[in-house]
Amino acid sequence: MTEVTLTVNGKAVKRDVPDTMLLVEFLREELRLTGTHVGCDTSQCGACVVHLDGKAVKSCTTLAAQASGGTVITIEGLANGALHPMQKAFNDNHGLQCGFCTPGMIMSGVDMVARYKAAGKELTEHAIREELEGNICRCTGYHNIVKSIQQAAGEM
Amino acid sequence: MYPTKYHRPASLAEALQLLADNEDAKLLAGGQTLLPTMKQHLAAPEAVIDLSASGLSGISNGGTMVTIGAMTTHAEVAASADIAAIVPVLNSVASGIGDPAVRHRGTIGGSISNNDPSADYPAALVGLDARIVTNKRELAADEFFDGMFATALEEDEIVTQVRVVQPKRAAYVKFPNPASRYAMVGVMVAETASGIRVAVTGAGEDGVFRHEGLEAALSADFSPGAVDGVEVEADGLLTDMHATAEYRAHLVKVMAKRAVAAC
Ligand SMILES: Cc1cc2nc3c(=O)[nH]c(=O)nc-3n(C[C@H](O)[C@H](O)[C@H](O)COP(=O)(O)OP(=O)(O)OC[C@H]3O[C@@H](n4cnc5c(N)ncnc54)[C@H](O)[C@@H]3O)c2cc1C
Ligand code: FES
Ligand code: FES
């Protein structure tokens, strides 16, 4: 067992968990934050993307112990009273169908907008498609996801 | 995942001590290869030694040489202004690895120590005639990579740095597998102090290799057209569900041409 200390969505948490526990298991099973999904569990689909110390990571490919000492934001931590502009944009543009990939899409979307802003680069439609390399959606065909991220990029 | 003991040493010395004390331990860098492998029960180390707090990350600008710490992530290499000033081709190699989340955690040290036959860094570093520094010694990339998933690393050896001297010109072009983004074939063409070098990943049965025919042809005439006259044999190239050896041989020439054109 290993002690994991994290700040998750602004709250300090501490748990004694198996050394093999993945960050996604920690979030879903220990904290009951079930908004973060497991699609593939083989590091391909991006349904499990959360922000660890400000960066998008696959929580199915990170040990909770590796994250210990860090700060995690999950889909549950984005809305601050009102929906986050990225959440609102997915709603406005019909950026989801079944919704399974959506938490990961939104966390990746927020991450890419922030990175491009910080680097002073324009997040073009083409760039959004490239940036979504690690997020798989079986329903939408991506067009409305790309539109949603474009809208949010203008508002964030 | 089979049970394991997680360690996060606070220095390289402590990491080496843990490695010495735990016979069946594995080093953990970004975990983007090791953790999926452990989840599939293809690896079951008794202990994992997380190098993230061992002071092995960072990029330093030595004017005409850049030194990259083993724990530097692909995202950090991709975004580095120091690398852009000295070996901009490495920015583009790193930015083409996997996807943003993989690049946020995957590291240069982990990638080269793993030496996946389809990984990008092995070809990049062999092509650039890079030096790999460990806790014990310094090796040329040519000596470091040693066949599929194999390196010259000994059990008690940790990669600490990669050093790259500014090339006269260089370009890397890969034909990514549409699903994984790993290279079906990736070719690095570089003009370095030791001459023209052409390194190929994704294609060889023994992992990364240099192509002498292409190097000779490009040394005589550095132009995309010079690639046409070179025979790339399918012998010794990989055949798998993604492509035949013949197709890979063809791709080596096409990627080499594109890389020369981009130099
Ligand atoms: C979805 C996905 C797509 C990917 N696409 C690509 C791609 O397009 N191109 C590509 O090249 N790679 C790709 N990768 C692999 C990725 O680049 C990995 O980050 C990399 O192969 C391993 O680096 P890591 O830091 O995650 O190492 P880890 O997984 O932590 O370690 C890998 C191995 O190296 C050993 N090791 C780690 N650090 C050291 C060290 N300093 N000294 C000695 N041994 C060490 C470990 O013990 C382990 O055996 C992809 C991975 C995923 C999950
Ligand atoms: S569940 Fe993590 S990438 Fe698919
Ligand atoms: S909305 Fe169903 S997987 Fe994306």
Side-chain angles (χ1 to χ4, degrees), chain A residues 79-96:
Chain A
N80 192 356
L83 288 182
H84 184 280
M86 191 62 74
Q87 292 172 308
K88 183 176 166 296
F90 271 70
N91 191 352
D92 291 349
N93 292 283
H94 199 65
L96 60 145

mmCIF file of all heavy atoms in Angstrom, chain A residues 79-96:
data_model
loop_
_atom_site.group_PDB
_atom_site.id
_atom_site.type_symbol
_atom_site.label_atom_id
_atom_site.label_comp_id
_atom_site.label_asym_id
_atom_site.label_seq_id
_atom_site.Cartn_x
_atom_site.Cartn_y
_atom_site.Cartn_z
ATOM 1 N N ALA A 79 -16.836 23.162 -14.155
ATOM 2 C CA ALA A 79 -17.918 24.134 -14.020
ATOM 3 C C ALA A 79 -17.747 24.898 -12.716
ATOM 4 O O ALA A 79 -17.433 24.316 -11.686
ATOM 5 C CB ALA A 79 -19.272 23.420 -14.029
ATOM 6 N N ASN A 80 -17.913 26.189 -12.797
ATOM 7 C CA ASN A 80 -17.727 27.012 -11.616
ATOM 8 C C ASN A 80 -19.011 27.805 -11.440
ATOM 9 O O ASN A 80 -19.100 28.962 -11.831
ATOM 10 C CB ASN A 80 -16.508 27.916 -11.858
ATOM 11 C CG ASN A 80 -16.047 28.596 -10.593
ATOM 12 O OD1 ASN A 80 -16.681 28.443 -9.540
ATOM 13 N ND2 ASN A 80 -14.979 29.360 -10.685
ATOM 14 N N GLY A 81 -20.034 27.173 -10.905
ATOM 15 C CA GLY A 81 -21.356 27.803 -10.881
ATOM 16 C C GLY A 81 -22.016 27.603 -12.240
ATOM 17 O O GLY A 81 -22.875 26.752 -12.401
ATOM 18 N N ALA A 82 -21.551 28.334 -13.243
ATOM 19 C CA ALA A 82 -22.065 28.135 -14.601
ATOM 20 C C ALA A 82 -21.175 27.119 -15.318
ATOM 21 O O ALA A 82 -20.067 26.839 -14.868
ATOM 22 C CB ALA A 82 -22.031 29.463 -15.345
ATOM 23 N N LEU A 83 -21.680 26.575 -16.439
ATOM 24 C CA LEU A 83 -20.862 25.648 -17.216
ATOM 25 C C LEU A 83 -19.607 26.362 -17.716
ATOM 26 O O LEU A 83 -19.616 27.551 -18.010
ATOM 27 C CB LEU A 83 -21.652 25.135 -18.435
ATOM 28 C CG LEU A 83 -22.783 24.141 -18.181
ATOM 29 C CD1 LEU A 83 -23.402 23.717 -19.521
ATOM 30 C CD2 LEU A 83 -22.286 22.908 -17.424
ATOM 31 N N HIS A 84 -18.524 25.592 -17.825
ATOM 32 C CA HIS A 84 -17.283 26.100 -18.430
ATOM 33 C C HIS A 84 -17.581 26.373 -19.918
ATOM 34 O O HIS A 84 -18.382 25.663 -20.527
ATOM 35 C CB HIS A 84 -16.219 25.017 -18.270
ATOM 36 C CG HIS A 84 -14.859 25.412 -18.763
ATOM 37 N ND1 HIS A 84 -14.519 25.388 -20.107
ATOM 38 C CD2 HIS A 84 -13.761 25.835 -18.104
ATOM 39 C CE1 HIS A 84 -13.259 25.785 -20.228
ATOM 40 N NE2 HIS A 84 -12.775 26.057 -19.032
ATOM 41 N N PRO A 85 -16.933 27.384 -20.520
ATOM 42 C CA PRO A 85 -17.191 27.682 -21.933
ATOM 43 C C PRO A 85 -17.056 26.450 -22.841
ATOM 44 O O PRO A 85 -17.785 26.331 -23.842
ATOM 45 C CB PRO A 85 -16.115 28.719 -22.292
ATOM 46 C CG PRO A 85 -15.713 29.341 -20.998
ATOM 47 C CD PRO A 85 -15.974 28.341 -19.920
ATOM 48 N N MET A 86 -16.153 25.536 -22.495
ATOM 49 C CA MET A 86 -15.992 24.330 -23.333
ATOM 50 C C MET A 86 -17.229 23.436 -23.194
ATOM 51 O O MET A 86 -17.720 22.878 -24.170
ATOM 52 C CB MET A 86 -14.719 23.573 -22.922
ATOM 53 C CG MET A 86 -14.300 22.459 -23.867
ATOM 54 S SD MET A 86 -13.885 22.997 -25.547
ATOM 55 C CE MET A 86 -12.291 23.780 -25.296
ATOM 56 N N GLN A 87 -17.742 23.306 -21.970
ATOM 57 C CA GLN A 87 -18.953 22.491 -21.771
ATOM 58 C C GLN A 87 -20.135 23.114 -22.507
ATOM 59 O O GLN A 87 -20.912 22.431 -23.177
ATOM 60 C CB GLN A 87 -19.252 22.376 -20.265
ATOM 61 C CG GLN A 87 -18.212 21.561 -19.512
ATOM 62 C CD GLN A 87 -18.407 21.610 -18.005
ATOM 63 O OE1 GLN A 87 -18.505 22.691 -17.419
ATOM 64 N NE2 GLN A 87 -18.452 20.449 -17.373
ATOM 65 N N LYS A 88 -20.244 24.433 -22.378
ATOM 66 C CA LYS A 88 -21.349 25.144 -23.031
ATOM 67 C C LYS A 88 -21.254 24.974 -24.553
ATOM 68 O O LYS A 88 -22.256 24.748 -25.239
ATOM 69 C CB LYS A 88 -21.303 26.625 -22.643
ATOM 70 C CG LYS A 88 -22.433 27.435 -23.209
ATOM 71 C CD LYS A 88 -22.400 28.883 -22.704
ATOM 72 C CE LYS A 88 -23.330 29.766 -23.530
ATOM 73 N NZ LYS A 88 -22.947 29.890 -24.937
ATOM 74 N N ALA A 89 -20.047 25.042 -25.077
ATOM 75 C CA ALA A 89 -19.861 24.924 -26.528
ATOM 76 C C ALA A 89 -20.253 23.533 -27.027
ATOM 77 O O ALA A 89 -20.844 23.393 -28.094
ATOM 78 C CB ALA A 89 -18.411 25.229 -26.891
ATOM 79 N N PHE A 90 -19.938 22.493 -26.257
ATOM 80 C CA PHE A 90 -20.354 21.140 -26.652
ATOM 81 C C PHE A 90 -21.879 21.047 -26.659
ATOM 82 O O PHE A 90 -22.473 20.397 -27.523
ATOM 83 C CB PHE A 90 -19.732 20.078 -25.723
ATOM 84 C CG PHE A 90 -18.391 19.586 -26.186
ATOM 85 C CD1 PHE A 90 -17.274 20.410 -26.138
ATOM 86 C CD2 PHE A 90 -18.234 18.300 -26.698
ATOM 87 C CE1 PHE A 90 -16.023 19.975 -26.575
ATOM 88 C CE2 PHE A 90 -16.996 17.842 -27.140
ATOM 89 C CZ PHE A 90 -15.888 18.671 -27.084
ATOM 90 N N ASN A 91 -22.496 21.708 -25.692
ATOM 91 C CA ASN A 91 -23.953 21.738 -25.618
ATOM 92 C C ASN A 91 -24.522 22.503 -26.828
ATOM 93 O O ASN A 91 -25.378 21.998 -27.556
ATOM 94 C CB ASN A 91 -24.339 22.407 -24.282
ATOM 95 C CG ASN A 91 -25.813 22.266 -23.958
ATOM 96 O OD1 ASN A 91 -26.587 21.806 -24.789
ATOM 97 N ND2 ASN A 91 -26.193 22.668 -22.749
ATOM 98 N N ASP A 92 -23.994 23.689 -27.084
ATOM 99 C CA ASP A 92 -24.492 24.532 -28.182
ATOM 100 C C ASP A 92 -24.359 23.861 -29.549
ATOM 101 O O ASP A 92 -25.208 24.027 -30.415
ATOM 102 C CB ASP A 92 -23.684 25.843 -28.262
ATOM 103 C CG ASP A 92 -23.938 26.757 -27.074
ATOM 104 O OD1 ASP A 92 -24.891 26.477 -26.310
ATOM 105 O OD2 ASP A 92 -23.178 27.739 -26.911
ATOM 106 N N ASN A 93 -23.248 23.124 -29.736
ATOM 107 C CA ASN A 93 -22.944 22.612 -31.081
ATOM 108 C C ASN A 93 -23.294 21.137 -31.265
ATOM 109 O O ASN A 93 -22.892 20.539 -32.260
ATOM 110 C CB ASN A 93 -21.457 22.818 -31.386
ATOM 111 C CG ASN A 93 -21.106 24.277 -31.525
ATOM 112 O OD1 ASN A 93 -21.394 24.893 -32.550
ATOM 113 N ND2 ASN A 93 -20.519 24.860 -30.488
ATOM 114 N N HIS A 94 -24.007 20.563 -30.308
ATOM 115 C CA HIS A 94 -24.330 19.141 -30.401
ATOM 116 C C HIS A 94 -23.030 18.345 -30.567
ATOM 117 O O HIS A 94 -22.901 17.500 -31.450
ATOM 118 C CB HIS A 94 -25.279 18.901 -31.590
ATOM 119 C CG HIS A 94 -26.016 17.600 -31.501
ATOM 120 N ND1 HIS A 94 -26.931 17.322 -30.519
ATOM 121 C CD2 HIS A 94 -25.976 16.497 -32.292
ATOM 122 C CE1 HIS A 94 -27.409 16.099 -30.713
ATOM 123 N NE2 HIS A 94 -26.835 15.580 -31.774
ATOM 124 N N GLY A 95 -22.054 18.649 -29.687
ATOM 125 C CA GLY A 95 -20.732 18.032 -29.786
ATOM 126 C C GLY A 95 -20.677 16.644 -29.175
ATOM 127 O O GLY A 95 -19.581 16.125 -28.940
ATOM 128 N N LEU A 96 -21.825 16.069 -28.861
ATOM 129 C CA LEU A 96 -21.829 14.715 -28.319
ATOM 130 C C LEU A 96 -23.107 14.000 -28.718
ATOM 131 O O LEU A 96 -24.118 14.628 -29.009
ATOM 132 C CB LEU A 96 -21.722 14.723 -26.787
ATOM 133 C CG LEU A 96 -22.809 15.435 -26.000
ATOM 134 C CD1 LEU A 96 -23.089 14.707 -24.706
ATOM 135 C CD2 LEU A 96 -22.382 16.868 -25.730
#
